[in-house]
Amino acid sequence: MASKTVRDIMSKDCVTVTLQDNVYEIALKMKQHDIGFVAVVEGKKLIGVVTDRDLVVRGYAEKHSGSTAVDKVITKDIATISPDTSVEEAAKMMAKDQIRRLPVVENGELVGIVAIGDLAVRGSFEDEAGEALSKISSDKTLVGSR
């Protein structure tokens, strides 16, 4: 059996925002869709991402209001992956770079998102998902501990 590719397991219905959106609109989309990650696009071209952590650290902790522009909280230097990459390679990349969600890009355009959970849920890749998640989570201080 041929190995599965990212295209086989990625989520294709991506929630996106543009540079015309603001911090409040991003937070509202995250709440409505129960997500903590939104791709920022220009047309279909991926230009960055915003996470719930970005909203807190670069937005609210910097005393920015809800009307603050996306470009104040965006992360532009992001890892991406091709839809033709093997699931095993995606898991290795996520583990090595400590990434929980990877935008899937083809010809510069966003075509999907692969999340650490997709590795386990959408196929028989529990080992890869577990290894990736353990590497992402290792060396982290537990909340409330010092």
Side-chain angles (χ1 to χ4, degrees), residues 90-111:
K92 287 177 188 172
M93 182 178 176
M94 293 170 95
K96 181 175 81 65
D97 296 335
Q98 297 192 350
I99 299 170
R100 293 177 188 265
R101 299 172 207 92
L102 264 175
V104 183
V105 176
E106 191 168 39
N107 302 319
E109 294 186 351
L110 179 69
V111 295

Side-chain angles (χ1 to χ4, degrees), residues 44-81:
K44 290 187 178 182
K45 181 179 185 252
L46 178 69
I47 55 174
V49 300
V50 177
T51 65
D52 45 7
R53 187 173 193 284
D54 292 333
L55 289 180
V56 171
V57 174
R58 293 192 198 121
Y60 303 118
E62 296 291 327
K63 297 185 179 178
H64 289 298
S65 71
S67 61
T68 299
V70 170
D71 68 350
K72 296 286 186 200
V73 296
I74 190 174
T75 299
K76 288 186 178 178
D77 185 25
I78 53 169
T80 62
I81 197 162

Side-chain angles (χ1 to χ4, degrees), residues 18-47:
T18 70
L19 290 176
Q20 283 68 51
D21 290 305
N22 62 39
V23 167
Y24 171 77
E25 291 163 325
I26 297 169
L28 191 60
K29 280 193 177 194
M30 287 181 177
K31 179 182 178 185
Q32 289 170 336
H33 297 278
D34 193 26
I35 55 175
F37 175 96
V38 175
V40 182
V41 295
E42 202 169 81
K44 290 187 178 182
K45 181 179 185 252
L46 178 69
I47 55 174

